[in-house]
């Protein structure tokens, strides 16, 4: 029987741990077997969308599913109304608008702010 050194043990465990952390390597891993639930959709609020926010809205809307813009926030109500007409006219999605970011931050159903 060969004697294992501490260095050899650490190397072996590091390789084994790295192999287990790669998806698909662990026994019984099925990527499509998860339960569909509330976490299948990311609800986003856009803040300040006069310039960069417009590109954010376009990018989020280009994602086929799993991302939904639910709120817009800008202190300028004119920017909000133009943004609603430009990006959400004719869409079935309900988008709430805010002039005060604190009201947007109070919402517990928003997952991310851009």
């Amino acid at each position: 029987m060969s004697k294992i050194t501490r260095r050899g043990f650490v190397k072996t465990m590091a390789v084994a741990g790295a192999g287990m952390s790669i998806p698909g390597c662990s026994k019984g891993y099925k990527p499509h077997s998860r339960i569909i639930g509330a976490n299948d959709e990311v609800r986003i609020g856009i803040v300040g969308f006069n310039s960069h926010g417009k590109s954010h809205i376009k990018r989020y809307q280009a994602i086929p599913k799993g991302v939904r813009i639910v709120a817009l926030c800008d202190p300028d109500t004119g920017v909000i109304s133009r943004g609603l007409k430009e990006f959400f006219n004719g869409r079935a999605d309900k988008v709430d608008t805010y002039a005060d970011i604190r009201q947007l931050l109070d919402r517990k159903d928003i997952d991310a702010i851009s």
Side-chain angles (χ1 to χ4, degrees):
M1 189 165 126
S2 65
K3 185 177 179 185
I4 188 165
T5 64
R6 187 181 324 175
R7 182 174 289 160
F9 176 76
V10 170
K11 283 181 183 178
T12 303
M13 296 315 300
V15 170
M20 293 303 291
S21 67
I22 298 171
C25 289
S26 61
K27 191 174 183 178
Y29 176 77
K30 296 177 185 173
H32 301 294
S33 66
R34 63 188 185 94
I35 298 171
I36 295 174
N39 292 332
D40 288 335
E41 180 178 77
V42 177
R43 298 169 52 86
I44 298 179
I46 306 288
V47 178
F49 57 96
N50 203 14
S51 60
H52 289 293
K54 288 181 180 180
S55 64
H56 292 196
I57 291 171
K58 288 178 185 176
R59 300 257 176 151
Y60 289 131
Q61 286 179 337
I63 299 172
K65 67 180 196 176
V67 174
R68 194 168 112 207
I69 299 171
V70 295
L72 301 174
C73 179
D74 199 290
D76 186 350
T77 56
V79 171
I80 290 176
S81 63
R82 284 193 306 272
L84 283 173
K85 288 178 187 172
E86 184 177 350
F87 296 107
F88 299 97
N89 197 12
R91 287 182 162 251
D93 296 341
K94 182 181 181 300
V95 178
D96 297 324
T97 59
Y98 299 94
D100 188 352
I101 192 169
R102 293 174 292 188
Q103 293 172 337
L104 176 70
L105 294 173
D106 284 341
R107 287 186 55 174
K108 302 297 181 207
D109 64 329
I110 294 180
D111 300 312
I113 295 177
S114 175

